[in-house]
Amino acid sequence: MDMSRSGNWLALMKRVERSVWFQGFIISIIIVAALTVGAKTYSLPYGVEAAINYLDAFITVFFLVEISLRFIACDDKKRFFRDPWNIFDTVIVVGSLIPVSDTEMILVARLLRVFRVLRLVSIIPDLRFLINALLKAIPKMGYIALLMFIIFYIFAAVGSIFFHQVNEDLWGDIAISMLTLFRVATFEDWTDVMYETMTVYPFSWIFYIVFIFLTAFVFLNMMVGVVLDVMTRETVQEEHENQENHHQALVTQISELQAQVARLADKIDAQQDRKE
């Protein structure tokens, strides 16, 4: 009797944890938590600040209950902590329990309360998909960033050699030249830099056009292409896994139906043998 009751409670918690309304409620609580963090950056009356502190305490307790519910509803407890997103949520929730007072941990506690906003990523599947794709694209993006650094370094060396007499503040050494080129690559008043060097070197516009073409167009599109390629592969893999899971579910249902039919056939044969 107790086992059946515990099984019913576990099934109920699973239904609640996986329900759409519960997930929507969690998202709304995370949004409210983000608003409370932003509200604390303003100078508020004492009553409003006290209400926000009580609301923050309620949110912390709710997150603790929610992560506990997810852990209880999980069939494989070890697998629960193998998921990086579950570990992230657990660290954020446990860290939020640190009391915010005049202690050495006050900055850590405040930072963890700010990071609670990131729980939207772990709750919304589409955001998790985007983050996972971005993380998997980082190695290839690293090679593109390395190539971009080489281009920056070469152009910075050339700019420092030719343009340091024009403006020492922008082209004095290779480090300052790289900062200037970063300004050019982000289109922050880059024409002022170009026109200044053109007064001494009229054809220096070629230097800027080539650099902008490489950094702002070629490398940026390469970055976007890498991310899109990883997302496409992840989408195909996810669809393949969903098809396999659907196929396995169908096979399991067919096996269960066959077992039920076999049991019914055995019962019918047993009843016929009794009659005979």
Side-chain angles (χ1 to χ4, degrees):
M1 188 68 178
D2 294 336
M3 293 295 292
S4 62
R5 287 182 179 178
S6 62
N8 293 333
W9 276 105
L10 183 60
L12 177 62
M13 285 189 289
K14 287 182 179 180
R15 287 198 299 269
V16 171
E17 192 269 333
R18 297 171 183 174
S19 60
V20 177
W21 66 267
F22 186 70
Q23 298 296 324
F25 184 68
I26 293 173
I27 292 174
S28 63
I29 292 296
I30 294 173
I31 294 174
V32 172
L35 294 177
T36 58
V37 172
K40 288 183 178 180
T41 60
Y42 294 93
S43 298
L44 301 173
Y46 176 78
V48 177
E49 187 175 355
I52 291 177
N53 290 332
Y54 283 118
L55 180 61
D56 183 77
F58 167 76
I59 292 171
T60 301
V61 174
F62 173 79
F63 282 158
L64 180 61
V65 173
E66 182 261 337
I67 198 71
S68 301
L69 180 63
R70 283 169 53 188
F71 178 75
I72 296 172
C74 183
D75 295 326
D76 190 355
K77 301 299 187 288
K78 293 182 179 180
R79 188 177 180 183
F80 179 85
F81 289 106
R82 291 175 185 172
D83 188 349
W85 292 111
N86 290 333
I87 296 175
F88 173 79
D89 289 343
T90 303
V91 171
I92 294 299
V93 172
V94 174
S96 298
L97 297 175
I98 300 174
V100 180
S101 58
D102 294 331
T103 62
E104 295 180 355
M105 299 295 292
I106 183 172
L107 294 178
V108 177
R110 288 179 177 176
L111 284 175
L112 289 173
R113 279 169 167 77
V114 173
F115 288 152
R116 287 190 305 194
V117 183
L118 290 175
R119 292 204 61 210
L120 280 174
V121 177
S122 63
I123 295 299
I124 301 177
D126 290 339
L127 291 180
R128 286 204 307 268
F129 174 78
L130 291 176
I131 295 298
N132 290 331
L134 180 61
L135 291 176
K136 291 184 178 180
I138 285 178
K140 291 185 178 180
M141 293 173 64
Y143 289 112
I144 298 175
L146 178 60
L147 183 58
M148 185 182 296
F149 174 80
I150 294 173
I151 297 299
F152 263 82
Y153 191 86
I154 293 173
F155 275 81
V158 173
S160 180
I161 293 171
F162 285 96
F163 304 146
H164 73 280
Q165 295 178 352
V166 178
N167 191 330
E168 193 73 19
D169 294 333
L170 296 179
W171 306 99
D173 54 48
I174 194 167
I176 296 176
S177 298
M178 291 183 72
L179 289 175
T180 303
L181 289 176
F182 184 80
R183 170 184 171 181
V184 173
T186 54
F187 302 107
E188 178 63 27
D189 293 334
W190 71 277
T191 53
D192 296 339
V193 180
M194 180 183 68
Y195 290 141
E196 186 179 31
T197 58
M198 285 180 63
T199 57
V200 179
Y201 300 97
F203 290 99
S204 62
W205 60 269
I206 300 176
F207 173 87
Y208 297 97
I209 296 300
V210 173
F211 176 76
I212 290 175
F213 176 79
L214 290 175
T215 56
F217 298 108
V218 176
F219 290 115
L220 180 61
N221 288 327
M222 289 174 67
M223 290 282 190
V224 174
V226 167
V227 175
L228 290 178
D229 178 63
V230 173
M231 291 182 64
T232 301
R233 285 186 295 172
E234 287 294 311
T235 303
V236 173
Q237 183 178 357
E238 185 178 4
E239 291 178 353
H240 181 68
E241 291 178 354
N242 291 334
Q243 290 177 356
E244 287 185 350
N245 293 333
H246 182 66
H247 177 71
Q248 291 178 357
L250 289 176
V251 171
T252 302
Q253 291 178 358
I254 293 172
S255 299
E256 291 177 354
L257 289 174
Q258 289 176 346
Q260 292 177 0
V261 170
R263 286 195 295 269
L264 289 174
D266 292 338
K267 290 180 179 180
I268 293 172
D269 292 339
Q271 290 178 358
Q272 291 179 353
D273 292 338
R274 290 176 182 176
K275 290 180 180 180
E276 293 177 355

